[in-house]
Structures are given as C-alpha cells and as structure tokens.
Amino acid sequence: MGHGMASRTDTKTRILDAAEKLFAERGFSETSLRLITSKAEVNLASVNYHFGSKKELIRAVLARYLDVFMPSAAAEIQRLFKNPELANLNEIFSSLIKPLLELNQVRHGGTTIFLQLLGRGYIESQGHLRWFITTHYGKYLEAFVKAVSASAPHIPPAEMFWRLHFTLGTIVFTMASADALNEIAEADYGEHNDTEAIIRKVIPYMAAGVSVPILAKE
Amino acid sequence: MGHGMASRTDTKTRILDAAEKLFAERGFSETSLRLITSKAEVNLASVNYHFGSKKELIRAVLARYLDVFMPSAAAEIQRLFKNPELANLNEIFSSLIKPLLELNQVRHGGTTIFLQLLGRGYIESQGHLRWFITTHYGKYLEAFVKAVSASAPHIPPAEMFWRLHFTLGTIVFTMASADALNEIAEADYGEHNDTEAIIRKVIPYMAAGVSVPILAKE
DNA sequence: GTTTAATTTAAACGGGTGTTTTAAATTAAA
DNA sequence: TTTAATTTAAAACACCCGTTTAAATTAAAC
C-alpha cells in the first residue's frame, strides 16, 4: 500500500478542498460528485477510488476540520480550568473564538466553512453526524459541558442539556445563513459583519440564554 | 373552471397532508414526488396537475400554515400593544405560544410540523423561502419586530436584526431535531418534553439573549 | 341522454445521480 | 529493463428524479 505523490496538488486534497467549499455553500445532497470533480479538475471516479463513497467523503471533509478544532478547543477549556477564579460563561464561550479563527489559517475562509458544514451536517444527516461527532469527539465535548455547567451551577443538568442544544442551533443556523443575513443587513443597515464579528455578536446572546434563571411555575 | 368533489378526501388535500409530513421529517429535496403520491395514495401526475410543480407544492404546504398562524400571531401582538403597561420580552414571545399550539388543532402534530418546515425552508431554499415569507407576510412580521424592539429599547435596530435571527435559528433548529434530542434526554435524564414544553423552555433563553446589554468594546 | 369540462390514470421522456467497470497511463519495485 | 502496483481516464450501468403526454374515467351542464 505505498503512496505515490501526484504531480500538482494531491488529488485527494484537491477533492477535499473543492468538496468542502461546495458542501458549505449548497449543502451535501445538493452537491453532486460531478460538480466537485469538475471544480477540482480531477476525474469523477477518483472520489470513489480515494474515499469509497460520497458519504465517506463528507465524513473526511468534516474530520479534517474537527481534528484541528477539537483538540485546540479542549486545550483552551483546560487552560480556563487551570485558572484559579472560576471562569464566567462569556469567557468560556469566548475561549472557542481562538480555535475557531485558527481554522482560517488552516484554509482560507476555514472558520465559516467549518461552522456551515457543522450546521448542514446536523440538519441534513438525520442524526448520523450527531452520532459521528459524539462518538469520535465525545471526550472533548464533555470537558466543555463540564466547564459550562460549573459556571452556571443554578441550572440543573437536564435543563443545561436543552440549553446547550439551543446554543448549538443558534450558532449553526446563523452560520448556515450568514451570507444571506449579511446581504439583508448590508441593504437595511449598511453594515457588513465578517465571521469573527458575527461570533462576537452571538456569544453574549448565547451566554445570557444559557445562564438565565429558571422561572418558578405559575 | 368548476371544481368537482372527489369521492374520498380531496386529492389536493391528500397530497398536502402527505407532503407536509414528509417534508418536515426529511427535508424538501430529500422527499420525492413519488414518495409523496404513494403515501397519499394518489397518482404521481396529480401533483403537477393540481400544483404545477414541486416548488409550488412546497409553497402551498407552507402557506396553509402561515395563513393560519400569521393573522393569529398578529392579533396576539395587537392585544399586547393595547395593554397599557409595556409588555416585557417574555410576554411577547409567550404570546406566540397560543397561535403555535392552535396549529395542533388544525392538524395533528401541526405545531412541530410547522416549525420544522420553517427551519427546513430557511436553510434549504437558498433565500427563496425567506423572500416568499417576507413579501407575503411582511406586515405581520413588522408588528412583531416593533413589539420586541419597543420592549428592548437599549438594543439598536441593526443589533436587533441579528438577535432576532439568532432567535429564529434557536427555535427552528431545536424543533427540527426535537425528536432526536428527546431520545437523548429520555435516555440520559429520564424526561420527555412535548412540543409545548420545549417551547416553554426555549422562550426564557431567547428573551434573555435578545435583551442582554451590549458590552462596551475592550 | 348527450355534450362538455374536469379529473385521474398509466406510460414515457429527458436528464441527473452515485457507483462500477474496463483499459490505459503512470509510478514504484525487482 | 522487466514486473508489479497504483493512479487516471472514459464509458457504461442501473436507478431515481420532476415533468409531460395522451387516453380513460368521472362529474357537471345543458
């Protein structure tokens, strides 16, 4: 099973680069392998040769980001825990900004692409992706949940479960429609927000929602 | 152009009923007309005969809910405005509960289906649906935005625009994955939440996020 | 009851999909 | 230089899609 080097960029990489861009823009099922391979300037059959199937290509595209993001995010959380004073929610959420923006160095537009892929994946793949992420990156997620729970101790675990998924929905839906929202915002309010600006807008929103006290039932 | 009555349920209605269920469960592009017509026990061609195209069927499915929900929601908002004391955000969001739950009387599971359709539509149909909703139901939306803005006057309009879309993402993503989330919540915490319970959980979260003060830049 | 219009049916059309196959070209190893 | 393994290339495969057509059926109007 030796691996030869291709003349230009690696065929596998060319496919991944073209695929992630198209997947993020149009969704998985709306993106055909023929479109991917023509943008990547490789042969149609090479997708199945290198990845086996479209489904596995989707996983490979996501894994390339998750493998960078998850350890980096976990390290940031760890760093917070080491800190003597208990971090507040805004700080915990903000600690993800650096790992997210680092993805822009991995690839141009990486942060947006990653978050859009995450959103598409959660919505399109009826639970498959959720399973894939929790089984492959569960240890990283646990640390994050633990940190959030510790800084909002008045929220019981079951309630926190729901609120963290509200949070996931907030960020994921926002990024999936970020381009469209920016167009409207630009037309109506004359302001354009890049990915970092949107992230910085959404963090206070999520932090406030996660930590809001539970009302006594009427 | 007279209209005859079919023997069983109206063919048009049978198509709409089958379509909305499948659309909500699997998304628009993942649901073929052949699947819809087989579930509805009608002929494949009847979709194009009655609706013209799949795209128009999608719009018809959504309109059937929006035509009920929007006026009802607007009436509730109106009622709040009539009230002397300015309603707070929780009350404004909560005023949508009744219109939402009324959809369950229109059709079984109507509330969930409607919210899921809304989410699918916003994400899948690259802007088409957003345009359809704002142009057809814009006057209703304006009243809602006005009410929310009035009860959070410290949030400038551009910021409120983003926060309201965060809110849309929160509710829409949550409902789209409500079944999956409930499965996990049941296994991990032994509690099951119906649609109303989830809505009541998410409202304080959204209200807190929308009204949280804007931090001064560091 | 006959004519006219509305609806339903079955079949086909043209095109796009993921995947597989076959053979040629390229690269690595012997 | 010969042999083997890998990678590319083009074509075909089998299937599903939304849509259209034209005939059969049903309902309404006269």
Side-chain angles (χ1 to χ4, degrees):
Chain A
M1 276 207 203
H3 284 273
M5 272 292 149
S7 49
R8 314 168 292 174
T9 318
D10 199 34
T11 299
K12 228 167 152 173
T13 307
R14 295 179 66 87
I15 294 172
L16 287 169
D17 288 347
E20 69 171 32
K21 197 154 173 284
L22 292 166
F23 284 155
E25 283 171 2
R26 339 158 105 252
F28 300 112
S29 63
E30 303 291 332
T31 304
S32 69
L33 294 183
R34 282 169 176 82
L35 181 60
I36 293 170
T37 52
S38 77
K39 289 267 183 194
E41 297 181 89
V42 300
N43 189 268
L44 168 63
S46 59
V47 172
N48 287 68
Y49 177 78
H50 285 289
F51 297 96
S53 68
K54 184 180 180 179
K55 197 169 277 182
E56 288 174 77
L57 170 62
I58 294 174
R59 277 208 286 268
V61 164
L62 271 156
R64 201 163 60 144
Y65 277 102
L66 289 168
D67 288 344
V68 174
F69 172 75
M70 285 292 186
S72 170
E76 288 294 320
I77 301 294
Q78 207 77 352
R79 211 176 50 78
L80 276 184
F81 265 124
K82 291 268 164 55
N83 223 323
E85 69 268 15
L86 203 58
N88 68 29
L89 262 188
N90 258 297
E91 287 172 332
I92 293 177
F93 282 130
S94 297
S95 72
L96 298 183
I97 293 181
K98 209 183 94 189
L100 279 173
L101 294 181
E102 277 171 0
L103 300 178
N104 275 329
Q105 295 170 317
V106 177
R107 251 176 314 285
H108 182 259
T111 305
T112 313
I113 291 175
F114 170 62
L115 287 172
Q116 289 184 347
L117 288 174
L118 211 61
R120 301 274 186 198
Y122 261 81
I123 291 158
E124 274 194 43
S125 69
Q126 197 73 4
H128 300 165
L129 180 74
R130 181 175 276 113
W131 178 88
F132 173 72
I133 290 180
T134 48
T135 54
H136 284 76
Y137 305 93
K139 54 176 178 172
Y140 300 114
L141 296 176
E142 275 170 32
F144 182 73
V145 173
K146 223 168 112 186
V148 171
S149 301
S151 65
H154 56 294
I155 309 297
E159 186 74 21
M160 184 56 85
F161 164 82
W162 284 98
R163 290 192 176 182
L164 283 179
H165 276 92
F166 297 161
T167 294
L168 182 63
T170 308
I171 185 75
V172 137
F173 178 91
T174 299
M175 296 319 292
S177 41
D179 293 341
L181 293 180
N182 250 326
E183 270 184 41
I184 304 172
E186 218 156 347
D188 290 7
Y189 309 103
E191 62 163 64
H192 183 88
N193 294 274
D194 59 15
T195 301
E196 179 173 355
I198 297 177
I199 294 175
R200 291 194 184 279
K201 272 188 195 306
V202 82
I203 283 179
Y205 174 96
M206 302 189 306
V210 167
S211 62
V212 70
I214 299 178
L215 275 186
K217 284 177 194 170
E218 325 153 20
Chain B
M1 275 207 205
H3 286 272
M5 273 292 149
S7 49
R8 315 169 292 173
T9 319
D10 198 35
T11 300
K12 227 167 153 174
T13 306
R14 295 180 68 86
I15 294 172
L16 287 169
D17 288 347
E20 68 170 33
K21 196 152 172 286
L22 292 166
F23 284 154
E25 282 171 2
R26 339 160 103 252
F28 300 113
S29 63
E30 302 293 330
T31 304
S32 70
L33 294 183
R34 281 170 175 83
L35 181 59
I36 293 171
T37 52
S38 78
K39 288 268 181 192
E41 297 181 87
V42 300
N43 188 271
L44 167 62
S46 59
V47 173
N48 286 350
Y49 177 77
H50 285 288
F51 297 95
S53 69
K54 184 180 181 180
K55 197 168 277 181
E56 288 175 77
L57 170 62
I58 294 174
R59 278 207 286 267
V61 164
L62 270 155
R64 201 162 61 143
Y65 278 102
L66 289 168
D67 288 343
V68 175
F69 172 76
M70 286 291 185
S72 170
E76 288 294 322
I77 301 293
Q78 207 77 352
R79 211 176 50 77
L80 275 184
F81 265 125
K82 292 267 165 53
N83 224 322
E85 69 269 13
L86 203 58
N88 68 28
L89 264 188
N90 258 297
E91 287 173 332
I92 293 177
F93 282 130
S94 297
S95 72
L96 297 183
I97 293 181
K98 210 183 93 189
L100 278 174
L101 293 181
E102 278 172 359
L103 299 177
N104 273 331
Q105 296 170 318
V106 176
R107 252 175 314 284
H108 181 259
T111 305
T112 313
I113 291 175
F114 170 63
L115 288 172
Q116 290 183 348
L117 289 174
L118 213 60
R120 301 273 186 198
Y122 261 80
I123 291 158
E124 272 195 44
S125 68
Q126 198 74 1
H128 301 165
L129 180 75
R130 182 176 275 113
W131 178 88
F132 173 72
I133 290 180
T134 48
T135 55
H136 282 76
Y137 305 93
K139 53 175 178 173
Y140 301 113
L141 297 176
E142 276 170 31
F144 181 73
V145 173
K146 223 168 113 186
V148 172
S149 301
S151 64
H154 56 294
I155 309 297
E159 186 73 21
M160 184 57 85
F161 164 83
W162 285 98
R163 291 194 176 179
L164 284 179
H165 276 92
F166 297 161
T167 295
L168 182 64
T170 309
I171 184 74
V172 137
F173 178 90
T174 300
M175 296 318 294
S177 41
D179 293 342
L181 293 180
N182 250 326
E183 268 184 43
I184 304 172
E186 218 155 347
D188 290 6
Y189 309 103
E191 61 163 65
H192 184 89
N193 293 273
D194 59 14
T195 300
E196 179 172 356
I198 295 176
I199 293 175
R200 290 194 184 280
K201 270 189 196 306
V202 81
I203 283 179
Y205 175 95
M206 302 189 305
V210 166
S211 62
V212 69
I214 299 179
L215 275 187
K217 285 178 192 169
E218 324 154 18

